[in-house]
Amino acid sequence: GDIVEVDELNFITIKGRVKRFAKIGGEMVALDSVETAVKKLYPEFMHAVIAIPSDKKGEEILLITTNKDAKSEEIVSYYKDNGLPEIALPRTIEVVEEIPLLGTGKTDYVTIKKKYSR
């Protein structure tokens, strides 16, 4: 279930997990791709993306970020400028002091999900 990248020296880097998807209006959206887009827009900050329940479309995307100046308008503009799908836009932004991490340094999605799921 890992998504990996192999570089020119045949080193393997784990990029994400296949199971991290949101189902929005019947379509599957890879949460790792949303995180990647936000990291490119705001590279100096930490971000995590999760799917939370939505009454309208099944699930919606929640962006948790350490960027206190993150704005939906900037993210929408970035998506449009880079040909990214509107369905993959985070609908809610939650600003935090720090992103919970596991002992390995990876994002602790279990803790984030427990805290932010409705």
Side-chain angles (χ1 to χ4, degrees), residues 52-95:
I52 57 174
S54 168
D55 293 336
K56 295 179 182 177
K57 295 194 174 196
E59 290 182 313
E60 67 181 54
I61 297 172
L62 168 64
L63 166 64
I64 296 109
T65 182
T66 58
N67 181 2
K68 62 181 175 65
D69 297 320
K71 294 182 178 37
S72 292
E73 301 82 25
E74 289 177 342
I75 298 170
V76 168
S77 178
Y78 180 82
Y79 268 60
K80 285 182 181 178
D81 291 347
N82 290 280
L84 299 169
E86 184 179 329
I87 196 167
L89 280 166
R91 297 296 171 201
T92 307
I93 299 172
E94 183 73 32
V95 176

Side-chain angles (χ1 to χ4, degrees), residues 19-25 27-32 34-35 48-54 57-64 87-92 109-110 112-118:
K19 69 180 182 172
R20 289 191 7 91
F21 282 88
K23 190 167 187 178
I24 302 172
E27 291 190 48
M28 299 301 283
V29 176
L31 297 176
D32 288 333
V34 178
E35 273 183 17
V49 174
I50 62 169
I52 57 174
S54 168
K57 295 194 174 196
E59 290 182 313
E60 67 181 54
I61 297 172
L62 168 64
L63 166 64
I64 296 109
I87 196 167
L89 280 166
R91 297 296 171 201
T92 307
Y109 292 104
V110 172
I112 292 170
K113 195 88 165 149
K114 283 180 186 174
K115 184 173 183 177
Y116 293 101
S117 290
R118 299 176 191 159

